Amino acid sequence: MLESMSQKYQITKYADGRFLNVEDVIVNEFPLTVFVNEVEFATMVVTPTHFEEMVVGFLASEGVIRTYSDILSLNIDEDRGYAYVELKVNSTTNQQYYSKRFIGSCCGKSRQFYFHNDARTARTSMSKTKISASQSIYLMNEMQNSSEVFQETGGVHNAALCTPDEIIAVRTDIGRHNALDKLFGFSILNSISVRDKIIVFSGRISSEVLLKAAKIGVGIVLSKSAPTDLAIKLAQDLNITAVGFIRGGSFNVYSCPERIVD
């Protein structure tokens, strides 16, 4: 797995006032084009692992499928970088909204989404899960320590699906959204209920990341980094607990703090 995610390069390094010829480990980047019912749907640049999870999670996130049973067949040509998906229902109508902005209200609230598909697929969390401060810090440390690729390259994001007590799965990718889509695909392929789960994330909580979490269906997002203002507004609106700057023994809770307990 590690071999497909990175490779070694001879580079020139400057340190302590001199140039050195050294070997460095560089993360791999790979274009993956998804066809749905023989129509090109999207091309993503990904870390070349967990392709099936990536495709399933991405299509679910975009509202193309709701469950894996919506897929008639899924074939991936890893050599050429193509994924071919046949649906049981010949419908990809939401592709027309894939990159079109939508601003409006939903469910009686003044929600603001960037894209039509977000308005269709993001869900208000009904999660009753709570997590302690020490558990939050523990899960972040466990995820970070488990990522050999990040430690070697510094060029990937990590996302983990967790219970308050342990990590269920960790996925790594050069793209923040890809790592989350892989987790979404993992939960779908393994029929894992996500309402009571937690996402632990290495990157910034942007509005797009928050919406990905809402589409997956979790109620708590723990991050090592900062949130954006729109992410906080969406988290408040979607009833998601957003926690940032989990470093050392401290963190900040930006929304729905009742899920973080002593």
Side-chain angles (χ1 to χ4, degrees), residues 66-109:
R66 294 177 63 87
T67 67
Y68 189 71
S69 62
D70 293 331
I71 297 176
L72 183 63
S73 66
L74 194 166
N75 297 294
I76 297 174
D77 184 341
E78 295 188 13
D79 294 329
R80 299 176 60 211
Y82 291 112
Y84 302 97
V85 181
E86 290 294 326
L87 302 179
K88 291 182 178 178
V89 178
N90 186 18
S91 175
T92 55
T93 55
N94 61 322
Q95 184 181 15
Q96 63 184 306
Y97 299 125
Y98 180 58
S99 60
K100 292 187 179 180
R101 185 172 179 177
F102 171 83
I103 299 176
S105 60
C106 179
C107 303
K109 292 187 176 183

Side-chain angles (χ1 to χ4, degrees), residues 21 41 59 73 96 103 124 131 142 185 189 221 233 236 260:
N21 293 320
F41 188 81
L59 293 179
S73 66
Q96 63 184 306
I103 299 176
T124 299
I131 185 172
E142 283 293 292
L189 289 168
V221 179
K233 292 174 184 176
Q236 292 169 340
I260 310 297

Side-chain angles (χ1 to χ4, degrees), residues 114-139:
Y114 276 134
F115 303 117
H116 276 268
N117 281 355
D118 294 335
R120 295 178 63 253
T121 57
R123 294 174 280 176
T124 299
S125 176
M126 305 302 292
S127 174
K128 304 297 183 183
T129 299
K130 294 187 178 182
I131 185 172
S132 70
S134 60
Q135 286 173 320
S136 301
I137 294 167
Y138 168 77
L139 290 175

Side-chain angles (χ1 to χ4, degrees), residues 197-227:
K197 302 303 187 295
I198 297 157
I199 282 181
V200 183
F201 191 58
S202 64
R204 183 179 69 254
I205 306 178
S206 65
S207 60
E208 293 170 292
V209 166
L210 195 283
L211 286 169
K212 284 281 188 184
K215 294 173 183 182
I216 293 171
V218 300
I220 301 174
V221 179
L222 308 177
S223 173
K224 186 181 179 181
S225 193

Side-chain angles (χ1 to χ4, degrees), residues 4 14 28-29 80 92 108 115 122 143 159 162 179 187-188 197 213 220 227 238 242 246 255 260:
S4 66
Y14 180 79
N28 288 338
E29 192 172 9
R80 299 176 60 211
T92 55
F115 303 117
M143 183 191 70
C162 311
S187 67
I188 292 171
K197 302 303 187 295
I220 301 174
L238 293 164
I246 302 179
S255 60
I260 310 297

